[in-house]
Amino acid sequence: MGKKSILMIDDVKFNIITARDVLKDTYELYEASSAKEGFEILDKIIPDLILLDIVMPEMDGYEMIIKLKESRRLRKIPVIFLTAETKPESEVKGFDLGAVDFIVKPFVATVMKRRIET
């Protein structure tokens, strides 16, 4: 059986590089720097998990998860939000929209891996 796949969507290249270093040996990683690019990848593959930044230009993570959950094809993909935001209201909003977890930036490698495994 092959590696599980993760689509990471974050507009900050450093975050993608950091996650790649943490996850590349365990997971097949797809990378996008915007929601638009993420949807282009989702036209071709259905990942096992989406790591989704909340604060992005054009379409933020909240808007993207709403579109994901509206899609019959994509709605079952678990989404973990990536955020530097630590306000409880942000987490509540994310969970209300269908996120399964949050990973706070900057990432702690072992914590990130454990949350993804869970």
Side-chain angles (χ1 to χ4, degrees):
M1 188 161 149
K3 292 180 180 179
K4 295 226 182 243
S5 60
I6 296 175
L7 169 58
M8 181 172 177
I9 305 165
D10 195 318
D11 63 317
V12 178
K13 192 71 180 161
F14 177 78
N15 293 333
I16 288 180
I17 292 166
T18 302
R20 183 189 308 143
D21 290 344
V22 172
L23 303 172
K24 68 182 177 207
D25 294 335
T26 313
Y27 299 96
E28 184 170 354
L29 196 59
Y30 297 87
E31 303 165 2
S33 59
S34 68
K36 179 179 181 288
E37 203 177 302
F39 280 116
E40 289 169 4
I41 291 169
L42 289 166
D43 282 342
K44 299 176 188 93
I45 62 134
I46 302 280
D48 295 295
L49 174 71
I50 295 173
L51 296 176
L52 180 57
D53 186 21
I54 294 175
V55 180
M56 296 186 293
E58 295 166 33
M59 181 187 298
D60 70 19
Y62 295 131
E63 293 173 87
M64 184 167 186
I65 197 172
I66 290 167
K67 289 191 179 304
L68 289 168
K69 296 305 178 187
E70 289 172 349
S71 166
R72 186 176 307 256
R73 188 174 154 266
L74 305 174
R75 71 169 54 129
K76 295 206 184 291
I77 305 168
V79 174
I80 296 178
F81 274 126
L82 305 172
T83 185
E85 180 62 63
T86 56
K87 289 188 206 147
E89 311 86 71
S90 298
E91 283 192 55
V92 170
K93 181 176 181 178
F95 285 128
D96 286 348
L97 293 174
V100 297
D101 205 349
F102 280 77
I103 296 174
V104 178
K105 297 190 267 186
F107 314 123
V108 176
T110 51
V111 172
M112 178 185 220
K113 277 188 112 163
R114 293 285 169 86
R115 287 184 182 273
I116 289 169
E117 288 165 9
T118 300

